[in-house]
Amino acid sequence: MTRILTGRELNRTLLHRQLLLERSQDDLPRVLERMAGLQAQYSPAIYIGLWSRAASVERATVTRLLHDREIIQGTLLRSTIHVVSRRDYWPWSLAVRDDRRTQALRSWRGTLSTEEMEQAAATVRVALADGPLRQREIDELIGANRRSGIGLWLDLVRQPPSGTWERRRADLYALAEDWVGAPEGSVSDGQVLVVRRYLTGFGPATRKEIATWAGLPVATVGAALAELDTTAYRGEDGAELVDLAGGTIVDGDADAPPRFLANWDAALLVHARRSGILPEEFRKRIFHVRAPQSFPVFLVDGAVAGTWKATDGALTYDEFRPLTATERDRLHAEGERLADFHA
């Protein structure tokens, strides 16, 4: 009989897999692999996201790993900036490239064609042979409308010092093959790895949830799952959930310490909705059209309980619900550590 997982079990299991129950002792590239990459439209989110999940993280270490090409910042899933380990960059890029192009052409409604984008990519490739280019320089070469989609036809990475804590605007581009090395592997192998990473970082989940996160068709996700050793569960709503065989399921009563997440953390997005990490009554307070960068949040008992801001070396809190004295004490103790990291 298929095991039914409760909402609390799914919550604690996702927190465990996102390394938010206990910080990892692994090196940071491996942390990124375990958590399925890190969404990074806002550059400090790289640092805060890793600090909340890994032991003894220092800002200088994260910046050094970006410079040393051990972790790579580029536009990947859902045409959104992510940071991944060096060895994950090409599999992820190859896995989603064709579907990203198809989706872009559909959204452009004939205003840009494949041929135009291929010509633009050739122009930018020649220019990048002399070194990285600023966004404004690419705009001057091919126009801002083509530049916004150029990464779909030419694999580009954000080259530091841009996109770091020290220089937050990620507007310096380099050819991925120059920065990371030549592409390796096949599209199908990349798709299998992307699905594996998702289940390691966010499972168990439905096929649709995996597809939503990856920006891949559900059928493609199903084909990738067929290459993996998986097990099945059901949610309390009857949905069929899939997981890697042997994946840990955490007891719903496990303690969830307070944690701080930065803007656009993937644990808060709709693909992870069934985990309850972001209570639905609070969703519109975090994501809405007047806040394109969203808001950094804190978790209490495994769920968003408010937002935070670092100001003048201290954290301020906007609580969405009343906290007990014990919850507040634990939260502020963690907050003091984050303030020291932030200062």
Side-chain angles (χ1 to χ4, degrees):
M1 185 174 181
T2 304
R3 178 178 171 181
I4 296 174
L5 299 178
T6 68
R8 289 277 294 188
E9 288 174 319
L10 289 169
N11 174 271
R12 292 317 196 244
T13 296
L14 191 146
L15 290 168
H16 164 72
R17 297 188 186 194
Q18 281 293 297
L19 310 174
L20 294 168
L21 290 186
E22 182 177 356
R23 286 180 166 90
S24 173
Q25 298 293 329
D26 289 333
D27 62 34
L28 295 185
R30 177 59 183 147
V31 167
L32 285 167
E33 292 171 1
R34 289 181 61 186
M35 63 181 287
L38 210 166
Q39 199 160 318
Q41 293 103 306
Y42 177 61
S43 296
I46 305 167
Y47 297 74
I48 296 162
L50 289 170
W51 176 86
S52 289
R53 292 169 166 95
S56 303
V57 173
E58 296 181 356
R59 289 191 342 227
T61 301
V62 179
T63 298
R64 177 181 58 77
L65 289 172
L66 286 164
H67 278 277
D68 289 350
R69 314 181 193 197
E70 294 300 313
I71 61 178
I72 307 297
Q73 187 175 183
T75 301
L76 293 165
L77 308 183
R78 309 181 312 282
S79 295
T80 301
I81 303 174
H82 282 73
V83 174
V84 297
S85 70
R86 181 180 184 134
R87 73 172 180 173
D88 273 7
Y89 174 80
W90 278 119
W92 283 44
S93 182
L94 295 173
V96 300
R97 177 192 287 161
D98 289 345
D99 286 288
R100 288 172 61 210
R101 289 179 180 175
T102 299
Q103 292 161 15
L105 289 167
R106 186 181 302 123
S107 70
W108 292 338
R109 301 177 183 273
T111 58
L112 290 172
S113 67
T114 297
E115 293 74 18
E116 288 175 293
M117 294 307 300
E118 288 175 346
Q119 291 170 5
T123 299
V124 176
R125 177 181 288 278
V126 170
L128 285 169
D130 295 326
L133 294 173
R134 294 282 176 200
Q135 180 175 302
R136 59 175 172 76
E137 295 173 316
I138 298 176
D139 287 351
E140 292 168 0
L141 280 172
I142 60 174
N145 61 334
R146 291 173 176 81
R147 187 268 307 156
S148 65
I150 194 64
L152 304 175
W153 273 265
L154 190 66
D155 292 291
L156 302 173
V157 298
R158 266 74 171 185
Q159 181 172 319
S162 77
T164 61
W165 188 281
E166 297 80 14
R167 289 182 58 178
R168 298 183 180 186
R169 188 175 180 189
D171 65 342
L172 183 64
Y173 293 83
L175 283 172
E177 59 201 63
D178 291 340
W179 188 254
V180 184
E184 295 182 355
S186 67
V187 171
S188 59
D189 287 345
Q191 290 167 346
V192 170
L193 179 65
V194 165
V195 171
R196 178 189 293 277
R197 291 284 189 253
Y198 183 87
L199 293 176
T200 299
F202 293 101
T206 68
R207 285 166 168 78
K208 184 177 180 180
E209 288 162 350
I210 303 170
T212 296
W213 170 82
L216 292 171
V218 173
T220 300
V221 169
L225 286 169
E227 300 298 316
L228 297 169
D229 186 10
T230 61
T231 189
Y233 298 99
R234 288 204 177 272
E236 291 178 305
D237 60 355
E240 181 182 349
L241 309 178
V242 65
D243 195 15
L244 295 175
T248 299
I249 303 298
V250 179
D251 189 279
D253 292 330
D255 178 56
R259 290 289 185 259
F260 289 85
L261 302 181
N263 313 60
W264 289 108
D265 194 287
L268 308 177
L269 303 183
V270 293
H271 70 90
R273 178 172 268 162
R274 73 174 57 249
S275 72
I277 288 178
L278 177 54
E280 291 306 310
E281 64 266 30
F282 300 151
R283 186 170 295 277
K284 289 185 178 180
R285 299 180 68 170
I286 305 303
F287 301 111
H288 57 78
V289 294
R290 294 190 301 276
Q293 288 285 6
S294 78
F295 294 97
V297 302
F298 57 83
L299 310 183
V300 175
D301 191 27
V304 170
T307 59
W308 62 273
K309 183 188 299 184
T311 306
D312 298 328
L315 262 58
T316 56
Y317 306 84
D318 179 14
E319 298 177 5
F320 290 177
R321 67 166 178 83
L323 303 182
T324 67
T326 299
E327 288 175 334
R328 190 172 287 112
D329 287 346
R330 294 182 74 190
L331 175 68
H332 287 191
E334 179 77 350
E336 288 176 8
R337 291 188 285 272
L338 177 57
D340 290 341
F341 177 81
H342 216 283

